[in-house]
Amino acid sequence: MDLSIIIPCHNLERYITPLIISLNAQKFSYQVEIWFVFDSCTDATKEVVKRKLTKEKYDVYFIDCDVHSCGEARNRALDLAKGEYIWFI
């Protein structure tokens, strides 16, 4: 795996669509995995991501947690990420 993109999410239903559109538009020439970490989400963020993200382009993983901390949510995915390079969004 070349690149791991880690995206912590907490109730981003109203804001996540532009990010998904941008990810779908990217043209990577290397292997990419995306980790979405849903931290205490009470809205439909996860459903929006699942519906709109083009999963054929990436290896996509979802983590549900209840840590109430962006840093801890990122670290959960970082422990599992396999990429040589890491991007946090």
Side-chain angles (χ1 to χ4, degrees):
M1 190 60 56
D2 299 312
L3 174 65
S4 297
I5 300 173
I6 298 174
I7 306 167
C9 303
H10 175 74
N11 294 340
L12 297 178
E13 179 181 6
R14 292 177 41 190
Y15 310 104
I16 198 81
T17 299
L19 172 64
I20 300 302
I21 291 170
S22 178
L23 288 171
N24 286 337
Q26 298 306 309
K27 297 190 182 345
F28 294 109
S29 60
Y30 38 86
Q31 288 185 308
V32 177
E33 67 179 3
I34 302 177
W35 289 87
F36 286 93
V37 185
F38 300 103
D39 182 12
S40 309
C41 286
T42 58
D43 65 0
T45 302
K46 189 174 189 177
E47 290 75 24
V48 171
V49 171
K50 285 183 173 182
R51 185 175 63 247
K52 296 189 176 200
L53 184 66
T54 305
K55 296 176 190 78
E56 295 80 32
K57 294 177 72 172
Y58 313 107
D59 293 335
V60 181
Y61 302 97
F62 301 108
I63 300 172
D64 291 307
C65 63
D66 189 23
V67 294
H68 300 283
S69 166
C70 182
E72 179 63 29
R74 282 193 309 248
N75 288 340
R76 296 268 175 111
L78 187 58
D79 288 341
L80 301 170
K82 300 177 221 98
E84 183 176 349
Y85 298 97
I86 305 291
W87 284 359
F88 293 109
I89 296 179

